Amino acid sequence: MEAVLAIAIGILTGSGVYLLLRPRTFQVIMGLTLISYAVNLFIFSMGRVKIDSEPVLIPGLTATLANTADPMPQALVLTAIVIGFAMTALFLVVLLASRGLSGTDHVDGEEKKEEAAE
């Protein structure tokens, strides 16, 4: 299970960095989104992936991390998902406004000479 999470985090991070280096703003936004997903998985995995663990306290059972799941990483990831969704929506609005003002969706605001000739 840990290997699957590590591979998923690596693939999401690699794909996000690749998209961040692309010249179009939509690809940059998708890259930031993938990196935020990778960070969320990383934070979630730091809470120890434990199967068949109680999420809440049970009377008569001592409350240690060996007996229960750690709720802090889960709360952090849930908060990060909500904030990430709002930031992605804001970035998309800024992208549309920038494209409307400049007429292009390139990060530097200019199209390459080859693309402009076509």
Side-chain angles (χ1 to χ4, degrees):
M1 184 68 174
E2 290 85 3
V4 173
L5 272 175
I7 290 170
I9 291 169
I11 289 173
L12 284 172
T13 303
S15 301
V17 169
Y18 173 76
L19 286 174
L20 273 177
L21 299 174
R22 305 296 299 162
R24 305 241 175 192
T25 51
F26 183 74
Q27 293 170 342
V28 170
I29 292 172
M30 288 298 107
L32 285 173
T33 304
L34 286 179
I35 287 179
S36 72
Y37 290 159
V39 169
N40 287 343
L41 269 179
F42 178 71
I43 292 172
F44 188 71
S45 66
M46 288 300 102
R48 295 185 310 135
V49 179
K50 190 166 167 90
I51 298 173
D52 294 333
S53 178
E54 300 295 333
V56 294
L57 301 177
I58 296 176
L61 187 63
T62 56
T64 63
L65 287 178
N67 296 334
T68 58
D70 189 9
M72 183 57 80
Q74 297 171 13
L76 288 173
V77 168
L78 183 61
T79 304
I81 289 170
V82 172
I83 292 171
F85 181 73
M87 289 302 296
T88 302
L90 176 69
F91 284 156
L92 287 174
V93 169
V94 170
L95 170 127
L96 291 174
S98 173
R99 184 173 178 181
L101 291 174
S102 67
T104 182
D105 64 344
H106 281 256
V107 175
D108 60 359
E110 299 177 3
E111 292 187 38
K112 292 182 181 177
K113 304 286 189 257
E114 300 88 33
E115 292 178 6
E118 292 178 0

